[in-house]
């Protein structure tokens, strides 16, 4: 039996507010959720939407991009993180205040709604 991932966050991005306006992030940590069974990005998008709609999330697809990118807030854990789909996996993007509890809760809710097993990889950069 596979052990549930801890979602321990090895490095957090840092926010910068340039004089030109907006916000930029230095560094990143992404948890990639990869299904053991190959699923299309469209099918992953359906699973993601069902998971978000089932709650306890406030979320929005806040940019008009050619790929799925949501900003989600878990009302139970108060964690906020971004979620994207790319190359056959769901990616959880850590923000400076994101906690492991919210990432773990999302993973558990997603896996409860699917028949396949999932592997979790963590990627960081400075």
């Amino acid at each position: 039996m596979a052990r549930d991932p801890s979602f321990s966050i090895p490095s957090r991005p840092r926010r910068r507010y340039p004089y030109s306006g907006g916000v930029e992030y230095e560094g990143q940590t992404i948890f990639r959720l990869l299904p053991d069974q190959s699923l299309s990005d469209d099918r992953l998008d359906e699973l993601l939407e069902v998971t978000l709609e089932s709650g306890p999330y406030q979320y929005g697809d806040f940019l008009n991009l050619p790929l799925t990118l949501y900003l989600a807030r878990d009302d139970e854990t108060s964690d906020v993180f971004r979620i994207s789909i790319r190359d056959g996996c769901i990616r959880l993007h850590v923000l400076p205040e994101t906690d492991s509890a919210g990432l773990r809760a999302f993973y558990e809710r997603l896996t409860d709604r699917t028949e396949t097993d999932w592997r979790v990889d963590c990627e960081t950069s400075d």
Side-chain angles (χ1 to χ4, degrees), residues 28-32 84 91-94 121-124:
Q28 69 176 353
T29 295
I30 298 172
F31 288 92
R32 295 182 310 135
S84 65
R91 301 168 6 144
L92 307 180
H93 302 257
V94 173
D121 293 339
C122 181
E123 170 188 325
T124 63

Side-chain angles (χ1 to χ4, degrees), residues 13-62:
R14 293 162 306 287
R15 279 191 185 105
R16 281 186 351 100
Y17 300 96
Y19 289 114
S20 59
V23 63
E24 295 176 355
Y25 291 95
E26 294 176 345
Q28 69 176 353
T29 295
I30 298 172
F31 288 92
R32 295 182 310 135
L33 287 69
L34 301 125
D36 282 349
Q37 171 187 342
S38 181
L39 301 174
S40 70
D41 286 355
D42 287 340
R43 178 66 181 127
L44 290 172
D45 193 35
E46 291 171 16
L47 291 170
L48 172 57
E49 286 184 21
V50 166
T51 302
L52 291 172
E53 288 173 6
S54 299
Y57 296 102
Q58 295 179 43
Y59 65 96
D61 187 1
F62 63 100

